[in-house]
């Protein structure tokens, strides 16, 4: 995922069907958000503050797709949801978005691990083992 591909957390992008055309009366079919993307974004919205799910966790929750498909959805449409809560399994912060994500993690109390001296900029990593959310209590939409 490149830096340009991840939507900003300033809100939906101008072409974001989730915020725009999907809710507009008479929206054209080509503007509609793909069903899989809608489902991925719904899962991202369920993740509580301070918790995370990996791309693979989301795919497993949905029973469809895989980590790359979830990552693609988040890159294209994730600006409308808490994108920083859907993460890499190794805990490395999303390249190019480390500082923005880190601000969210600190504000939400998400468990972090201090970055090693070898890590670029000594940026912390997520403590995925402690921060991981299994969807506890939310079974609607889970297949």
């Amino acid at each position: 995922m490149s830096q340009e591909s991840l939507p900003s957390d300033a809100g939906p992008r101008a072409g974001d069907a989730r915020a725009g055309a999907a809710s507009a009366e008479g929206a054209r079919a080509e503007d509609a958000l793909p069903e899989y993307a809608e489902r991925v974004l719904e899962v991202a919205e369920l993740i509580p503050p301070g918790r995370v799910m990996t791309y693979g966790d989301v795919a497993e929750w949905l029973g469809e797709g895989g980590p790359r498909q979830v990552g693609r959805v988040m890159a294209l449409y994730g600006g409308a949801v808490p994108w920083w809560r859907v993460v890499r399994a190794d805990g490395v912060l999303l390249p190019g978005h480390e500082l923005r994500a880190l601000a969210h993690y600190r504000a939400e109390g998400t468990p972090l691990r201090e970055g090693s001296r070898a890590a670029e900029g000594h940026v912390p990593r997520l403590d995925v083992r402690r921060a991981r959310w299994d969807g506890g209590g939310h079974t609607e939409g889970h297949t």
Side-chain angles (χ1 to χ4, degrees), residues 48 51-53 57 61 131-138 142:
R51 305 300 297 272
V52 299
M53 288 181 92
D57 291 341
W61 171 271
R132 189 175 248 154
W133 184 65
D134 65 2
H138 290 281
H142 185 257

Side-chain angles (χ1 to χ4, degrees), residues 16-74:
D16 188 344
R18 181 176 175 82
S23 63
E25 202 170 315
R28 297 184 315 218
E30 70 255 17
D31 290 337
L33 190 65
E35 181 182 338
Y36 183 72
E38 183 70 32
R39 293 176 62 210
V40 167
L41 298 177
E42 287 172 359
V43 173
E45 289 176 329
L46 291 174
I47 304 169
R51 305 300 297 272
V52 299
M53 288 181 92
T54 67
Y55 298 117
D57 291 341
V58 172
E60 185 178 327
W61 171 271
L62 294 173
E64 182 180 359
R68 289 179 186 224
Q69 288 82 6
V70 171
R72 181 73 177 150
V73 167
M74 294 304 295

